[in-house]
Amino acid sequence: MKQVKLSIVIPAYNVEKYIGRCLDSLMNQDLEPSEFEIIVVDDGSTDGTYGLLQEYASRMPHLQVHHTENQGIGLARNHGCSKMQGQYFIFMDSDDALAPDCLGTIVQTMQEKALDMLVMNYRFCDENGEIPKVFDCTTRYPLDGRVLRGQDLMLLGLTPVIWMMAYSTSFWRRNDLHFRSCWHEDEELVPRAYFLAERVSYLPAEFYHYYKNAGSFMTAYKVESTYGMISAMESLNQFRAKYVTDKVMDAYFQKRISQKLWQGFRYSICSKFPMEEQKKYIRLVKDKKLKLLPRNKYLKRVLYGCSTYLFIVYFRFNLRGKHG
């Protein structure tokens, strides 16, 4: 029996329309079925997702289907991680797809360089498969194939997207990495993973196809998701306070936390949430003793400290004007 080289962890919830595209892309790969496993966690779907997964499992012996009560994408991913047997693994979202014949190169690169994490490129696709743009890391960051510490790559400003990387299973488990049960769980976890990784490299391969579908997470962004950002950044700030001692890295974490909190606040204004929601957002940020604004925003920080109402009115006027 061949060793399982790679695990693919896929949380699924009410994706009857898309899960076939995802699984079909895993049939056209350059690893033998015995060399990789597909672990799909059906997170309490109420449509035909689970039945469709059972049909695929009857034709794909390397596909495992696990059914759980609805608990959210982060905990579904944790469940899948607890089941994996591969030396390495990747995450997929159930409405996305992989490029053909990419898994063998991922495994080979991870093995040859003894990596904790491998960063790659991805494509944005619309619902019909058209490709509006490609995310190529080298167009934004000075990356090559060297092996670096994750902290060095963090300072380049890499996007913390959980599915644009491959991971060593031993690295993941040795550091007890797992997702929180909240919105923006990947933006809380990926910086921690980078910080802990000793060996990270870049592979210039467009291995992942990200589909922006109607009803996807970003399309269905809700008011309560902004509060999830606060919870995620509170957790990341606790990690910073406990483990980050280097001044440069500490400044990086503080800046990133403020930027993500500001992103949530901006979204609430540009999406025309009621003022009461924005007041609640700011109140929660202050209660958690988190910083909403970067240090160089002096005048805005003064306004923020003096009057929540005037602060919101000021940014409602400015940000809505920029976004129509």
Side-chain angles (χ1 to χ4, degrees):
M1 183 176 179
K2 292 185 179 180
Q3 178 188 11
V4 177
K5 297 179 179 179
L6 184 76
S7 300
I8 303 171
V9 176
I10 308 171
Y13 178 72
N14 287 353
V15 285
E16 179 183 14
K17 183 178 178 181
Y18 306 114
I19 190 64
R21 177 177 63 200
C22 176
L23 296 178
D24 288 344
S25 75
L26 300 179
M27 293 183 181
N28 190 18
Q29 293 299 327
D30 53 0
L31 289 180
E32 294 294 325
S34 59
E35 294 180 305
F36 73 103
E37 62 181 1
I38 306 163
I39 303 171
V40 181
V41 181
D42 177 62
D43 189 33
S45 294
T46 57
D47 64 356
T49 297
Y50 185 68
L52 192 56
L53 287 171
Q54 297 286 56
E55 290 181 23
Y56 270 89
S58 68
R59 294 181 277 125
M60 301 172 70
H62 55 315
L63 169 61
Q64 304 175 32
V65 180
H66 300 268
H67 182 77
T68 63
E69 296 298 321
N70 183 253
Q71 55 187 347
I73 189 172
L75 297 187
R77 283 179 179 147
N78 288 342
H79 185 85
C81 288
S82 72
K83 304 296 182 182
M84 60 191 183
Q85 299 295 317
Q87 185 179 4
Y88 309 106
F89 72 98
I90 62 174
F91 291 107
M92 287 185 69
D93 285 348
S94 52
D95 54 352
D96 295 334
L98 290 190
D101 297 327
C102 65
L103 298 184
T105 303
I106 293 172
V107 169
Q108 182 180 2
T109 306
M110 294 288 289
Q111 288 177 334
E112 290 180 350
K113 295 186 176 182
L115 298 177
D116 295 325
M117 296 169 59
L118 176 64
V119 182
M120 292 168 281
N121 299 330
Y122 59 92
R123 295 184 180 189
F124 285 95
C125 304
D126 66 18
E127 199 161 354
N128 298 316
E130 298 295 327
I131 303 171
K133 63 179 177 177
V134 174
F135 183 91
D136 184 340
C137 290
T138 57
T139 63
R140 303 188 184 190
Y141 316 114
L143 295 179
D144 53 30
R146 292 176 300 157
V147 176
L148 301 171
R149 294 188 313 155
Q151 294 179 33
D152 296 326
L153 285 176
M154 288 176 77
L155 296 176
L156 296 176
L158 286 177
T159 303
V161 181
I162 197 70
W163 38 253
M164 69 181 286
M165 289 166 283
Y167 309 84
S168 160
T169 302
S170 61
F171 158 74
W172 189 270
R173 290 176 171 165
R174 183 171 65 251
N175 289 286
D176 191 27
L177 289 168
H178 57 274
F179 295 92
R180 286 173 48 86
S181 178
C182 67
W183 293 78
H184 307 287
E185 72 291 333
D186 53 345
E187 295 184 81
E188 188 274 341
L189 184 141
V190 175
R192 290 193 284 123
Y194 268 125
F195 180 81
L196 296 168
E198 293 295 329
R199 297 184 63 81
V200 185
S201 191
Y202 166 69
L203 177 67
E206 297 166 9
F207 90 112
Y208 197 91
H209 293 178
Y210 170 78
Y211 284 80
K212 188 170 183 179
N213 304 301
S216 68
F217 168 79
M218 290 308 294
T219 304
Y221 207 118
K222 300 177 181 178
V223 172
E224 58 264 29
S225 71
T226 60
Y227 304 136
M229 180 68 83
I230 297 173
S231 179
M233 291 304 103
E234 179 189 18
S235 177
L236 190 59
N237 191 54
Q238 291 170 349
F239 175 86
R240 176 200 65 79
K242 185 174 182 179
Y243 295 105
V244 181
T245 57
D246 177 79
K247 290 184 178 180
V248 174
M249 286 308 306
D250 185 68
Y252 168 87
F253 271 93
Q254 292 199 51
K255 181 178 180 181
R256 177 152 198 88
I257 290 167
S258 292
Q259 287 174 335
K260 300 312 293 185
L261 291 171
W262 177 243
Q263 177 182 307
F265 178 72
R266 281 177 59 97
Y267 187 90
S268 75
I269 290 180
C270 295
S271 299
K272 300 182 180 180
F273 292 173
M275 180 174 284
E276 288 305 312
E277 299 293 348
Q278 289 145 10
K279 287 181 179 179
K280 180 179 178 182
Y281 186 91
I282 291 176
R283 183 171 66 251
L284 288 172
V285 169
K286 290 183 175 181
D287 287 347
K288 303 296 184 182
K289 294 181 170 43
L290 298 171
K291 296 179 181 178
L292 182 65
L293 292 167
R295 292 180 179 178
N296 61 344
K297 307 288 186 179
Y298 177 74
L299 293 177
K300 296 171 186 176
R301 286 172 63 85
V302 170
L303 189 59
Y304 177 73
C306 293
S307 172
T308 296
Y309 173 77
L310 291 177
F311 179 82
I312 294 170
V313 169
Y314 173 81
F315 282 106
R316 278 188 164 207
F317 178 78
N318 283 274
L319 293 180
R320 285 188 183 178
K322 292 179 181 179
H323 295 268

